Amino acid sequence: MGRNQARVEENSRPKVVEPPRGFHQARVDEKGRLKLPAVFQQYLGDLGEKQVFITTLDLRTVRLYRSSLWKENENLFENAGDDAENADAVAFLSKHYGADSELDGQGRVLVPQELRKDLQVENQPVWLGYDRGAIEVYGEAIYQQKLADSKSK
């Protein structure tokens, strides 16, 4: 195999983008903007994604999905089969609270007003982590509760 052929094969492999690990603190400002920590901005940038869908599935955490991944979730909801009733409930909740947002030049996204109010993250510190394709955003009370529960096990 020639040197140029090896280079072509190397460049044709899909780039593996590692998601961020651990929790990172941030804040939702008084206007509802969440400035993503640099590791999450880098992650989305490496994936070539600026559009996100922001919602909740459980009324405990805000979840940011890459728009391309959220479209896959919508297909799962539509084709839930035996679990259609539960899928319909989750789909309805996610539509009620959800909205599209785009990273601005400063790495911020706008969290929908009703979502940030009901999950009590407006003008508050939050913790971000990555879980199963989404960026999870925990408000103070939920984060501390989960931390305490994890320590007691």
Side-chain angles (χ1 to χ4, degrees), residues 47-93:
L47 291 170
E49 301 258 1
K50 290 185 99 176
Q51 282 285 128
V52 294
F53 184 73
I54 304 174
T55 192
T56 186
L57 303 178
D58 61 5
L59 290 173
R60 294 174 52 85
T61 57
V62 175
R63 294 180 63 90
L64 283 72
Y65 290 89
R66 301 182 328 260
S67 289
S68 59
L69 179 59
W70 185 251
K71 288 174 187 172
E72 291 177 28
N73 288 345
E74 289 175 326
N75 288 334
L76 290 174
F77 294 148
E78 290 175 15
N79 300 302
D82 292 340
D83 205 23
E85 190 174 326
N86 287 334
D88 287 346
V90 172
F92 184 87
L93 188 68

Side-chain angles (χ1 to χ4, degrees), residues 10-151:
E10 189 175 292
N11 291 336
S12 66
R13 290 185 204 137
K15 181 179 178 184
V16 176
V17 178
E18 290 288 326
R21 292 184 178 88
F23 286 103
H24 304 268
Q25 194 169 12
R27 183 170 195 82
V28 176
D29 70 16
E30 66 280 349
K31 295 180 181 177
R33 298 172 301 191
L34 169 63
K35 181 164 174 56
L36 296 178
V39 294
F40 291 101
Q41 291 180 45
Q42 180 71 44
Y43 171 69
L44 291 172
D46 288 349
L47 291 170
E49 301 258 1
K50 290 185 99 176
Q51 282 285 128
V52 294
F53 184 73
I54 304 174
T55 192
T56 186
L57 303 178
D58 61 5
L59 290 173
R60 294 174 52 85
T61 57
V62 175
R63 294 180 63 90
L64 283 72
Y65 290 89
R66 301 182 328 260
S67 289
S68 59
L69 179 59
W70 185 251
K71 288 174 187 172
E72 291 177 28
N73 288 345
E74 289 175 326
N75 288 334
L76 290 174
F77 294 148
E78 290 175 15
N79 300 302
D82 292 340
D83 205 23
E85 190 174 326
N86 287 334
D88 287 346
V90 172
F92 184 87
L93 188 68
S94 67
K95 287 177 193 174
H96 175 77
Y97 283 102
D100 291 310
S101 188
E102 185 172 336
L103 263 71
D104 68 12
Q106 296 178 4
R108 299 175 302 191
V109 293
L110 182 62
V111 179
Q113 183 178 9
E114 189 172 4
L115 179 61
R116 64 182 188 255
K117 180 180 159 258
D118 285 1
L119 273 61
Q120 300 175 352
V121 297
E122 192 167 46
N123 207 20
Q124 298 289 322
V126 294
W127 284 262
L128 284 74
Y130 179 87
D131 183 53
R132 291 175 242 161
I135 298 169
E136 290 189 312
V137 181
Y138 295 93
E140 174 78 20
I142 299 297
Y143 184 82
Q144 294 303 330
Q145 178 187 3
K146 288 184 76 67
L147 183 60
D149 290 349
S150 296
K151 287 180 177 179

